[in-house]
Amino acid sequence: MNFGTFQGAGTGALGGSITRYTQTPLITTSQTIPVPNGVQRIEALLVGGGGAGASQQNSGSGGGGFGGAAIIEIPITGQSLQVVIGAGGASAFADGSPTYISSAGTIYGLVGGGGGGNGYDGGGNATFSGAGRAGGGGGGNDSTGYGGWGGAPPIGNILWTTSTQTGRWLLTGSASSFLWSAAGVGAGGWGSKGTRPGSGSLGGGAGGASNTVVFDGGGAASGQAGVLGSGGGYGQNGGSMSSISIWGYTGRAAGTQAGGGGGLFGVGGDGFSPNGQAGAGGLGGGGGSGWVVGGIGGNGAAVVRFYF
């Protein structure tokens, strides 16, 4: 067989230059979105549902984890996009659900949700908090139980996340010994028990706290304020998202006094209402930890960009 002779690379013609984009309004309900003609690239900003805060009368308890946020590239399949919006944790201790986009029967981008906070069960026993998924933070706890583990990175070709570290804190033999290491790349942080929780990396959600510092959207411990969208621990403020600006949106403030975490698209609710209910999370924010009623997690949301 004669394979011929390579003549060298030709100059060719420059094609597919992107000159503009259109952006959907904020999507808060699950729906099908047609892909316009002439689209050369699709990106989606996805926020997962936040976890609910714990509800423990006369005992400390933790807030819900942030549902996670990321921009993910979505392949062009020639078919419409199915956008599924994740629900926030709807009752005390409940985890949030992921938000995702599929096309032609395949999921190409998935984010969230956050783990529910926890404290004690009905028998007075310390219980485990919910774990985050796909970039969501783990739920917080009190000082006797473990906070929930943070979720692994979102699913898909990740272009941006709220957690972009290239390493994370790792346990090195004892509960009080840590090492900042690239070995944790792409992983969610561990939940803590009386020690520092683990921070996620490259989109991985942070572990929930028990009685110490909070990281990157992991649920706060009893008596600790939330961070970056997580619900506040018993009696404390939620975590604000006001430091985050992306695609023309600026994150929202958190609630106070057992407050819900601020979401990327919604304000966290204040806690300590007359019935002892904690504040709800705002669109992806974790719920606060309540005295009588734990705050529910904020629902997820999405925005899709079509580039031409």
Side-chain angles (χ1 to χ4, degrees):
M1 180 181 292
N2 182 4
F3 289 97
T5 302
F6 178 60
Q7 300 297 320
T11 57
L14 180 64
S17 297
I18 292 174
T19 58
R20 63 186 178 91
Y21 68 83
T22 61
Q23 181 171 304
T24 67
L26 182 64
I27 301 167
T28 57
T29 59
S30 299
Q31 56 191 270
T32 297
I33 298 179
V35 176
N37 293 329
V39 166
Q40 300 185 57
R41 181 181 176 91
I42 304 173
E43 296 177 0
L45 171 58
L46 305 178
V47 176
S55 172
Q56 291 301 322
Q57 189 169 358
N58 299 324
S59 63
S61 47
F66 174 56
I71 294 176
I72 297 177
E73 181 181 3
I74 307 298
I76 299 171
T77 66
Q79 303 294 318
S80 297
L81 305 181
Q82 284 73 51
V83 182
V84 176
I85 301 299
S91 59
F93 318 131
D95 298 337
S97 300
T99 293
Y100 63 90
I101 288 184
S102 64
S103 181
T106 299
I107 293 177
Y108 291 105
L110 183 150
V111 177
N118 225 328
Y120 291 90
D121 61 19
N125 301 304
T127 56
F128 285 89
S129 305
R133 282 97 56 217
N141 210 307
D142 76 328
S143 61
T144 62
Y146 284 94
W149 285 69
I155 295 172
N157 182 18
I158 304 169
L159 305 177
W160 171 88
T161 75
T162 55
S163 179
T164 57
Q165 300 95 326
T166 56
R168 65 167 183 158
W169 287 100
L170 298 175
L171 288 171
T172 57
S174 71
S176 60
S177 178
F178 301 94
L179 174 67
W180 182 258
S181 171
V185 167
W190 69 86
S192 72
K193 180 178 181 180
T195 58
R196 187 174 188 171
S199 64
S201 61
L202 294 179
S210 57
N211 66 345
T212 185
V213 67
V214 187
F215 258 126
D216 301 331
S222 173
Q224 297 286 333
V227 175
L228 200 65
S230 65
Y234 182 73
Q236 300 297 313
N237 298 343
S240 172
M241 289 282 285
S242 59
S243 64
I244 304 296
S245 293
I246 190 73
W247 279 13
Y249 293 95
T250 297
R252 310 300 290 276
T256 62
Q257 300 282 326
L264 187 58
F265 307 111
V267 175
D270 293 335
F272 283 174
S273 58
N275 66 352
Q277 181 169 347
L283 289 182
S289 170
W291 178 56
V292 176
V293 182
I296 62 175
N299 291 334
V303 180
V304 180
R305 274 189 175 182
F306 299 105
Y307 293 85
F308 300 86

